[in-house]
Structure formats: structure tokens, C-alpha cells
Amino acid sequence: MKASVDQQLLLLRLEQLDTAEHAARAEMRRSALPPNANEMYKRYKSEGVAPLAEAQKALTRSLAVLGKAQLDLDNLANKLERYTSDLAIQKKENPYSEALRKKIAAGEERLPRAQRFVDHREDDAARDQALVDERQAIEEALWESIRPFDEQIAARRQFGENRAKRLHASFYQVKAQLPSELFEEFERLQYRYMTPAERAITHFPKSICAVAPLIEGACGNCKQEFSVQAPEDELVYCPACGCMLVRAVPPKIATPDTVEPNPPDWTTEVWLPIGRCIAVIDDEVQGTSAQLLVNGDIHIKGVSI
């Protein structure tokens, strides 16, 4: 298969954009926390959320018992009122009058006990409500201590999502400049080691290099050295890793979105190896937290989990 020098550079550009998009999505899906943030989140759950939930359950139970006790007291008071009214309308003594007097006496004896039971349940509910208020204050104080980290994570994820969308759009702009057979070859190389199930995953990790530069007679992906005798417009493949090699690579390839706001401040730095998949020459992606290197590692600041 043949391709002009410009078309080969466009294929290399596709590889760069595809890798950068994977880096942006990896950054978007990961949380950036300071070293002690995980402990702070655990403390928030163990000392804030869990005790508050238990106190709220206890308050719910107390209120349910209080409601039933108050209902029983109201029913007893209503019965006494009805018995007293029925007794008042009796014109002369009869067995029913005597039964009413016994019911009234029993009700009047039970009424103070029922009232005391309601009072005790009100005390329990008040105590549980005070405990809920106390634990609510603790939970809110702990949340305030981690809220800035939560907002930072949300800002970083939004930043990564916006950048991934721009890279995705740039990818398809470059794709439109290529003949369909060249793009099909690019896709074939991308998926050459993947199973159909792996291809179906939307955000499959970028671990296969499709196009790499030929740097001083060596593959930019696997570093295998070999000589190339083919014409300049003929596509060349690395005999070791199988990726397409581009020979006419300028010293630096411009990266997309060079004028872009800086991402939110990061708190830690780690290395996240994504695979030997990069096709750019020691080129830093400006305006993002990812630095793409020829060895295939992607430097993503702030990734801690």
C-alpha cells in the first residue's frame, strides 16, 4: 500500500490524537487526592456518615414508639369521655350504669400511667434528636474538611472530559483528510491484537501502537533497529511489533489545543504507564497534565488511585 508523505504524517497525527484522548479519559476517570485524603474520606464515613445514620435510625424508632403511645393515650381519653357521657344520660340505676362506672374507674387509673409513658417516650425522642443534631454537626464539619478535594476532583474530571471531546473532534477532522483505505489500515493496526470483546469496550486502554516514527533507523515504538530500502511513498511496517513506521517526521509535531487554560492545580504526581503506544517525539501536550513520551508512558499528574 502506498501513501504520500503528507498522508503518512496525518496517520501519525491520528495516533497522537488517539493516544492523547485516551490519556485525557484516563485522567477524567481517576480521582486526584492528596496523600492523606483517603484517610480523611474514611474518617468522614466512619466518624460522620455512619454514626449519623445510626442516630437517625434510633430517632425514627423513638418517634414511632412515641406516636403509638400518644395514640393509645388519646384513645383512652376518648373512651373515658364517652363512658362519662353515657353515664350522665342514664335516668336511673341499672346494670349498664354499674359497668360504666367500673370502666371509668379503670380508665382513670390507667390514664396517669399512659401519660407518664408518653412523657418518657418524649424524653427519649428529645435525647435521640439531640444526638442526631450533635452527629449532624460532626458530619458537616468533616465534610467541610474534604469538600475542597471533592470540588477539585469534579473540576479535574470536567477538564479531562472537555479535552477528550476536543481531541476526539480533532481526530475526526484529520480522518476526513485521509482516503478510506488508509484509515481502515490504521484501524486494523490498532486492533491487531484485540479480541472482538475487547474491541466492543468503549474506553479500552490504549496499549497498541498503530503508527510510530522511524527514529535514526529504529522503530519509535519497540526500538527495533533495521534498514529501510522501500520508496518514500510506500508504507513500511516494523518487523518486530508490526506498527506502521513514518520516516519523514519533523523535529516536533504540533499538538492540539496549544492555547488552552491550565488544568486545576494538582496535589501529587505519579507515573501511569498506559503502554508502548505513543507516536510523537518527546513532545509535551500543552495545557494538559499529560506528557506524552516516545517510550509510551503517559505522565499524568495527580493520579493517586
Side-chain angles (χ1 to χ4, degrees):
M1 185 179 294
K2 294 183 179 293
S4 66
V5 173
D6 289 342
Q7 288 174 337
Q8 291 182 43
L9 290 176
L10 287 176
L11 288 168
L12 185 58
R13 178 69 166 161
L14 280 183
E15 176 69 23
Q16 178 190 13
L17 289 168
D18 189 49
T19 303
E21 182 186 347
H22 275 78
R25 293 196 182 280
E27 181 177 2
M28 178 183 68
R29 294 192 298 270
R30 288 171 170 81
S31 300
L33 299 174
N36 63 335
N38 286 328
E39 290 301 322
M40 295 175 69
Y41 270 98
K42 289 179 182 177
R43 183 186 173 197
Y44 168 67
K45 291 180 179 179
S46 63
E47 298 181 16
V49 176
L52 175 61
E54 287 299 321
Q56 289 173 334
K57 288 180 181 178
L59 176 61
T60 301
R61 289 193 294 267
S62 296
L63 291 175
V65 173
L66 172 61
K68 186 177 183 305
Q70 186 64 56
L71 182 62
D72 291 342
L73 177 63
D74 293 340
N75 288 338
L76 180 58
N78 291 335
K79 286 181 180 180
L80 281 174
E81 183 179 356
R82 187 174 69 252
Y83 295 156
T84 303
S85 176
D86 289 349
L87 182 62
I89 62 176
Q90 299 298 317
K91 294 182 178 180
K92 60 180 181 178
E93 288 294 326
N94 54 58
Y96 181 60
S97 300
E98 186 62 25
L100 285 175
R101 286 192 180 90
K102 290 181 180 180
K103 289 182 178 180
I104 291 173
E108 289 176 343
E109 183 181 355
R110 288 177 52 200
L111 191 62
R113 293 199 303 270
Q115 183 62 58
R116 286 195 298 272
F117 185 77
V118 168
D119 294 340
H120 290 326
R121 300 295 76 77
E122 286 179 345
D123 292 341
D124 291 344
R127 184 184 64 250
D128 290 340
Q129 182 63 60
L131 183 60
V132 166
D133 294 341
E134 177 185 344
R135 292 185 174 175
Q136 180 76 43
I138 295 173
E139 188 269 344
E140 290 175 356
L142 290 171
W143 171 248
E144 285 300 315
S145 68
I146 64 172
R147 185 171 55 83
F149 304 137
D150 208 64
E151 293 173 351
Q152 182 188 36
I153 292 169
R156 292 185 59 185
R157 286 178 177 168
Q158 186 62 48
F159 182 89
E161 182 178 2
N162 292 341
R163 176 160 180 80
K165 288 179 179 178
R166 285 192 294 273
L167 290 165
H168 193 71
S170 299
F171 180 91
Y172 279 92
Q173 288 174 1
V174 175
K175 174 188 173 183
Q177 303 174 47
L178 286 169
S180 59
E181 60 271 15
L182 282 180
F183 184 74
E184 289 172 2
E185 177 67 5
F186 174 80
E187 282 193 319
R188 183 191 70 78
L189 292 170
Q190 274 192 316
Y191 300 140
R192 63 187 184 274
Y193 300 131
M194 293 186 186
T195 65
E198 290 170 341
R199 296 186 192 186
I201 300 176
T202 306
H203 299 303
F204 189 82
K206 176 67 175 170
S207 58
I208 300 176
C209 179
V211 184
L214 184 65
I215 306 171
E216 298 179 354
C219 172
N221 178 51
C222 68
K223 311 306 181 188
Q224 175 71 38
E225 295 184 0
F226 62 96
S227 60
V228 179
Q229 305 296 333
E232 194 176 54
D233 63 345
E234 185 174 337
L235 296 181
V236 178
Y237 300 86
C238 175
C241 66
C243 67
M244 184 189 301
L245 297 175
V246 178
R247 287 164 282 177
V249 181
K252 279 205 171 186
I253 301 174
T255 55
D257 304 327
T258 54
V259 180
E260 180 179 332
N262 289 327
D265 292 335
W266 313 134
T267 53
T268 60
E269 294 189 9
V270 299
W271 285 88
L272 177 68
I274 300 292
R276 306 182 66 81
C277 56
I278 206 61
V280 297
I281 304 175
D282 195 16
D283 195 6
E284 182 179 0
V285 177
Q286 301 294 326
T288 74
S289 64
Q291 185 180 22
L292 308 182
L293 306 176
V294 92
N295 67 1
D297 285 339
I298 298 181
H299 189 197
I300 298 183
K301 297 180 182 179
V303 178
S304 64
I305 59 175

